[in-house]
């Protein structure tokens, strides 16, 4: 078994129009910029994207939105240092937005990956986010029922990856990446280094390879923050 | 007189004095982040940032940033001995599971029953909630740092929130620019106030009755805060 792919372009080639795509990262930290840019080059459109944010500047997720590829965004916080691409697209009525509290977003994704179709959370009880959702009282406290969230594809960023898809992450770039890896039919990981089997101490594997279908090596991945400081625009 | 009020740094300092040694604390984006600077001698809080870091160090020098190492406000932070990383599901298990001792956030409005509005001005802007709804509903204590009134002078401490809610009955203590106020059984209970502000003045700037259940202490903060 060898899940390694030689290029980001090849890794994302089969993502079709209309796909639901989870994209890892929290702001720029952990964002798989090269995979997102490969998806822009590939041309898939009418995508539903799940991400914590809505892009920053004119690279990565913001660039995907700017290219008109995203019909719907599911996120917790569509703000950033430069959210102008999302703001203009949203105000023009060209993108649908579903706001989900951050912990509920993480748990919906976790539930999707774990085969749990719904769960109850105290988060958002009594707020407009809970309107229309089933409420149930457990031990005297009210909880909101939330549904799982699954995707056709997940684009994630790791640090080390072996041929079976076992992954490690780098510092706070972990964030949504491991949980998204579990919730997609096809998870595509970019990693900074390929290592051979045994190259990751089993005690240090964060995402076991069963959750990863393909991985591509991107030795010096771009950081969204640095691209934005250089006023980069993609493509 | 009420033209004297605490600066944001002084409000953050006052809130920091109440954090117990060993407490796990989440600080909201913006001025609540200043609380970390004012931990009293001998008390060590462990700060949680919801993007997956416990116990992190100060901001790095400009040029030394590592953009894989940021806080929830997307600002660069640093490692320290004892730092732990974890994914988002674990991070919000810490929050939702009741493992955080304190969440400290800003507010547009706080109601006397503890309802909090801090995510939407309700004016048709783009909504953005982040982790606030999770934090306020599940941290053991929820403290709000805020100016006592809005920029136009309207009370931010009110009988009922008119803005979209972040959470219901969740706020336990308010550190305002004029006072320290607890939420107890559906009432505002005044604990401390600036000595220069009379009870009558403070009540006039507050949108719901201020109760007392004992002596009201003077709210005194250092004048100069780094």
């Amino acid at each position: 078994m060898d899940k390694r792919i030689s290029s980001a372009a090849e890794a994302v080639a089969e993502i079709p129009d209309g796909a639901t795509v989870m994209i890892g990262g929290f702001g720029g930290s952990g964002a798989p910029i090269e995979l997102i840019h490969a998806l822009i080059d590939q041309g898939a459109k009418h995508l539903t994207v799940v991400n914590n944010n809505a892009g920053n500047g004119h690279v990565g997720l913001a660039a995907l939105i700017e290219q008109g590829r995203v019909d719907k965004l599911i996120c917790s916080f569509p703000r950033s240092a430069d959210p102008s691409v999302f703001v203009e697209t949203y105000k023009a009525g060209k993108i649908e937005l579903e706001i989900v509290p951050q912990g509920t977003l993480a748990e919906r994704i976790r539930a999707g990956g774990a085969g749990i179709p719904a769960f109850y959370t105290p988060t958002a009880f009594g707020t407009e986010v809970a309107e229309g959702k089933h409420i149930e009282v457990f031990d005297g406290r009210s909880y909101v029922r939330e549904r799982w969230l699954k995707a056709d594809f997940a684009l994630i960023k790791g640090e080390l990856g072996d041929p079976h898809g076992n992954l490690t992450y780098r510092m706070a770039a972990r964030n949504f990446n491991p949980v998204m890896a579990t919730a997609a039919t096809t998870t595509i990981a970019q990693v900074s280094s390929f290592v051979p089997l045994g190259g990751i101490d089993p005690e240090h594997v964060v995402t076991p390879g069963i959750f990863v279908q393909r991985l591509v090596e991107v030795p010096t991945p771009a950081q969204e923050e640095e691209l934005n400081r250089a006023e980069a625009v993609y493509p | 007189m009420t033209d004297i009020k605490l600066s944001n740094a002084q409000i953050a300092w006052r809130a920091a004095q109440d954090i117990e040694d060993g407490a796990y604390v989440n600080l909201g984006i913006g001025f609540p982040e200043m609380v970390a600077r004012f931990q009293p001698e001998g008390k060590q809080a462990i700060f949680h940032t919801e993007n997956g870091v416990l116990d992190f160090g100060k901001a790095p020098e400009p040029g030394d940033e590592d953009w894989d190492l940021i806080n929830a406000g997307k600002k660069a932070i640093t490692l320290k001995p004892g730092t732990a990383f974890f994914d988002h599901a674990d991070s919000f298990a810490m929050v939702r599971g009741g493992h955080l001792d304190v969440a400290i956030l800003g507010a547009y409005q706080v109601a006397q029953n503890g309802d909090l509005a801090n995510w939407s001005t309700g004016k048709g802007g783009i909504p953005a909630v982040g982790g606030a709804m999770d934090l306020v509903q599940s941290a053991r204590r929820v403290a709000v740092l805020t100016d006592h009134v809005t920029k136009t002078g309207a009370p931010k401490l009110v009988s009922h929130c008119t803005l979209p809610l972040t959470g219901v009955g969740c706020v336990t203590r308010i550190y305002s620019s004029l006072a320290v106020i607890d939420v107890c059984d559906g009432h505002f209970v005044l604990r401390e106030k600036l000595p220069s502000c009379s009870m009558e003045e403070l009540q006039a700037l507050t949108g719901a009755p201020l109760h007392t259940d004992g002596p009201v202490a003077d709210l005194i903060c250092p004048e100069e805060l780094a």
Side-chain angles (χ1 to χ4, degrees):
Chain A
M1 183 192 290
D2 191 345
K3 298 176 179 175
R4 294 174 297 176
I5 302 280
S6 59
S7 72
E10 198 182 335
V12 303
E14 68 173 25
I15 298 178
D17 290 356
T20 294
V21 183
M22 291 180 178
I23 300 179
F26 180 89
S29 171
I33 297 291
E34 285 76 10
L35 288 177
I36 302 168
H37 288 174
L39 182 58
I40 291 172
D41 297 344
Q42 186 257 31
K45 49 191 187 293
H46 301 304
L47 301 171
T48 293
V49 168
V50 182
N51 182 265
N52 186 60
N53 301 98
N56 188 9
H58 300 271
V59 297
L61 176 55
L64 188 67
I65 294 169
E66 193 162 33
Q67 294 297 311
R69 306 292 180 72
V70 183
D71 285 3
K72 180 177 180 181
L73 181 67
I74 301 173
C75 80
S76 85
F77 200 74
R79 288 187 195 151
S80 64
D82 175 12
S84 58
V85 166
F86 176 77
V87 169
E88 285 164 24
T89 309
Y90 181 79
K91 288 189 171 166
K94 291 178 178 165
I95 192 165
E96 184 185 345
L97 174 65
E98 179 180 343
I99 284 287
V100 183
Q102 199 173 127
T104 299
L105 182 63
E107 192 63 11
R108 287 179 65 192
I109 298 166
R110 196 194 75 80
I116 296 170
F119 60 93
Y120 288 90
T121 176
T123 300
F125 172 72
T127 75
E128 62 187 51
V129 170
E131 280 173 15
K133 293 176 181 167
H134 181 71
I135 306 294
E136 196 157 329
V137 176
F138 296 96
D139 299 333
R141 191 172 178 201
S142 296
Y143 294 81
V144 181
R145 188 170 70 200
E146 293 282 356
R147 293 294 309 275
W148 62 6
L149 194 53
K150 298 195 279 189
D152 302 307
F153 293 85
L155 306 183
I156 66 167
K157 181 183 187 179
E159 174 69 357
L160 304 179
D162 74 15
H164 286 183
N166 292 313
L167 302 178
T168 68
Y169 298 89
R170 187 167 179 275
M171 302 199 283
R174 184 178 304 196
N175 57 63
F176 278 95
N177 285 298
V179 71
M180 286 182 172
T182 70
T185 306
T186 302
T187 290
I188 304 166
Q190 67 169 69
V191 295
S192 298
S193 301
F194 281 156
V195 295
L197 292 178
I200 302 172
D201 183 332
E203 298 281 11
H204 297 165
V205 171
V206 179
T207 293
I210 191 170
F211 296 124
V212 178
Q213 279 65 48
R214 277 173 228 156
L215 63 168
V216 59
E217 189 179 46
V218 179
T220 49
Q223 286 286 6
E224 184 182 88
E225 183 70 28
E226 286 167 1
L227 293 175
N228 282 333
R229 288 178 179 216
E231 299 182 5
V233 175
Y234 196 87
Chain B
M1 292 302 297
T2 50
D3 55 346
I4 298 170
K5 61 172 195 157
L6 298 183
S7 65
N8 286 353
Q10 287 174 308
I11 297 170
W13 178 91
R14 176 63 192 84
Q17 307 315 301
D18 287 346
I19 298 174
E20 314 84 356
D21 187 39
Y24 287 89
V25 182
N26 183 287
L27 301 178
I29 294 173
F31 113 71
E33 291 176 42
M34 283 199 281
V35 170
R37 287 197 229 153
F38 302 125
Q39 286 184 86
E41 284 283 319
K43 290 188 190 174
Q44 189 192 11
I46 305 250
F47 293 100
H48 166 269
T49 184
E50 56 266 35
N51 56 311
V53 191
L54 264 180
D55 208 15
F56 48 92
K58 295 174 179 163
E61 293 296 318
D64 289 343
E65 299 94 344
D66 182 328
W67 296 109
D68 284 341
L69 186 56
I70 60 172
N71 65 13
K74 317 288 193 312
K75 295 192 189 82
I77 53 175
T78 51
L79 299 173
K80 64 189 275 196
T83 298
F85 297 124
F86 38 88
D87 70 39
H88 250 83
D90 280 351
S91 183
F92 280 89
M94 295 174 194
V95 174
R96 215 185 296 101
H99 306 282
L100 283 182
D101 295 293
V102 193
I104 301 181
L105 316 85
Y108 296 142
Q109 292 177 323
V110 183
Q112 59 189 344
N113 66 351
D115 287 359
L116 171 68
N118 85 341
W119 72 288
S120 168
T121 55
K123 288 178 188 153
I126 296 173
V129 66
M133 285 190 182
D134 305 275
L135 286 158
V136 300
Q137 215 52 269
S138 298
R140 290 194 195 123
R141 296 199 288 120
V142 175
V144 159
L145 310 191
T146 183
D147 258 318
H148 203 85
V149 296
T150 67
K151 287 189 177 119
T152 59
K156 296 181 80 168
L157 280 61
V158 296
S159 57
H160 302 283
C161 292
T162 53
L163 295 173
L165 293 183
T166 308
V168 295
C170 55
V171 175
T172 54
R173 177 165 269 204
I174 301 150
Y175 300 93
S176 86
S177 49
L178 301 176
V180 177
I181 294 166
D182 282 341
V183 174
C184 301
D185 300 326
H187 302 297
F188 289 136
V189 178
L190 181 63
R191 301 295 181 203
E192 299 176 17
K193 67 172 184 60
L194 288 183
S196 57
C197 183
S198 72
M199 276 297 295
E200 293 70 28
E201 286 171 319
L202 189 63
Q203 182 62 70
L205 296 169
T206 307
L210 289 170
H211 297 252
T212 56
D213 61 6
V216 175
D218 286 342
L219 173 53
I220 294 169
C221 296
E223 301 245 332
E224 303 266 328
L225 287 167

